[in-house]
Structures are given as C-alpha cells and as structure tokens.
C-alpha cells in the first residue's frame, strides 16, 4: 500500500522538489501551503508522515506540530521538520514542539529519503 506524506510548505519550489522526490520514490504526497491548511489536511487525510516547514505564514510549524501531537487521533504520525532554521538550538525547538526528525534546507534528497524511510518502516 502506498504511503501518503503530507508536505506543509509555503514555498512552491520547495514543495515541488519534495513532491517530485516522493513521487519518484513511490510515495503519494498531499500538499498544504499554510499551517492552518496543513492541520486541516492532517485531520482529514491522516497521512503516514508529515514534512513540516517551520517558517509558515499564519500558524508556524511549531504550533501546527504541537496541535497535531495533542490530537489523540494524530499524535502517532511522525513529523519531520524541514527547515532553513539551522542555528544552534533550532533543532531542539523543533523536538520540543513534538517533531520526530529534523532536516535543514537545502535538503539533500538522499538524507531526506533516508529519514522518511526510517520513520515508515
């Protein structure tokens, strides 16, 4: 059965790169451009994994992650932060919000796929 991955990313170029990588690797992707839209899609679609940008318009990725992890129907879904925040401690902020993994942009396709497969075993 094909695994579905929700991409929550406001930048079209980044969404396209992740979509193409996932599609070429046999995954189905669902896309959201805002935190609010991503939260609604997570609730409706219940994806197998979420790729979460942190810097989003409106509700940021930290808050979306906290809300997903607080929802009993969704808290089991792995969330990988995919972010340009790469300063010391930014990864800890993501983990504290509930992210299971952390990858910095620009994304290495091999590293991202490895992280995804690690959580979808």
């Amino acid at each position: 059965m094909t695994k579905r991955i929700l991409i929550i990313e406001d930048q079209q170029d980044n969404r396209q790169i992740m979509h193409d990588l996932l599609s070429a690797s046999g995954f189905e992707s669902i896309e959201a451009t805002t935190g609010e839209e991503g939260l609604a899609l997570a609730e409706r679609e219940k994806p197998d994994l979420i790729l979460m940008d942190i810097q989003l318009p409106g509700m940021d990725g930290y808050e979306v992650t906290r809300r997903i992890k607080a929802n009993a129907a969704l808290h089991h879904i792995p969330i990988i932060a995919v972010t340009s925040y790469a300063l010391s401690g930014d990864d800890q902020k993501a983990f504290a919000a509930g992210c299971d993994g952390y990858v910095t942009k620009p994304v290495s396709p091999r590293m991202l796929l490895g992280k995804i497969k690690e959580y979808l075993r």
Side-chain angles (χ1 to χ4, degrees):
M1 193 158 135
T2 302
K3 299 287 187 182
R4 290 184 311 151
I5 298 175
L6 172 57
I7 302 167
I8 305 176
E9 166 65 62
D10 61 322
Q11 297 296 318
Q12 172 61 34
D13 292 345
N14 292 334
R15 271 195 325 276
Q16 189 65 52
I17 289 167
M18 287 188 270
H19 168 81
D20 291 348
L21 177 65
L22 294 172
S23 179
S25 300
F27 296 106
E28 178 186 339
S29 66
I30 310 161
E31 300 176 19
T33 59
T34 67
E36 293 83 357
E37 182 185 10
L39 183 58
L41 278 173
E43 290 170 345
R44 186 173 73 235
E45 300 291 332
K46 302 205 178 28
D48 297 294
L49 184 136
I50 298 171
L51 298 176
M52 178 75 68
D53 185 22
I54 297 300
Q55 196 171 359
L56 295 166
M59 189 187 314
D60 69 20
Y62 297 127
E63 183 59 25
V64 178
T65 298
R66 282 190 284 272
R67 292 185 186 200
I68 289 170
K69 293 299 184 174
N71 183 327
L74 305 175
H75 75 275
H76 67 282
I77 300 171
I79 299 175
I80 300 173
V82 182
T83 181
S84 56
Y85 290 166
L87 298 175
S88 177
D90 285 336
D91 57 344
Q92 293 308 310
K93 288 180 194 173
F95 293 131
C99 289
D100 300 283
Y102 182 87
V103 177
T104 58
K105 296 175 189 172
V107 173
S108 156
R110 181 178 294 147
M111 180 191 293
L112 183 58
L113 277 177
K115 253 322 165 197
I116 290 168
K117 289 176 181 177
E118 181 182 321
Y119 290 103
L120 292 181
R121 284 188 185 141

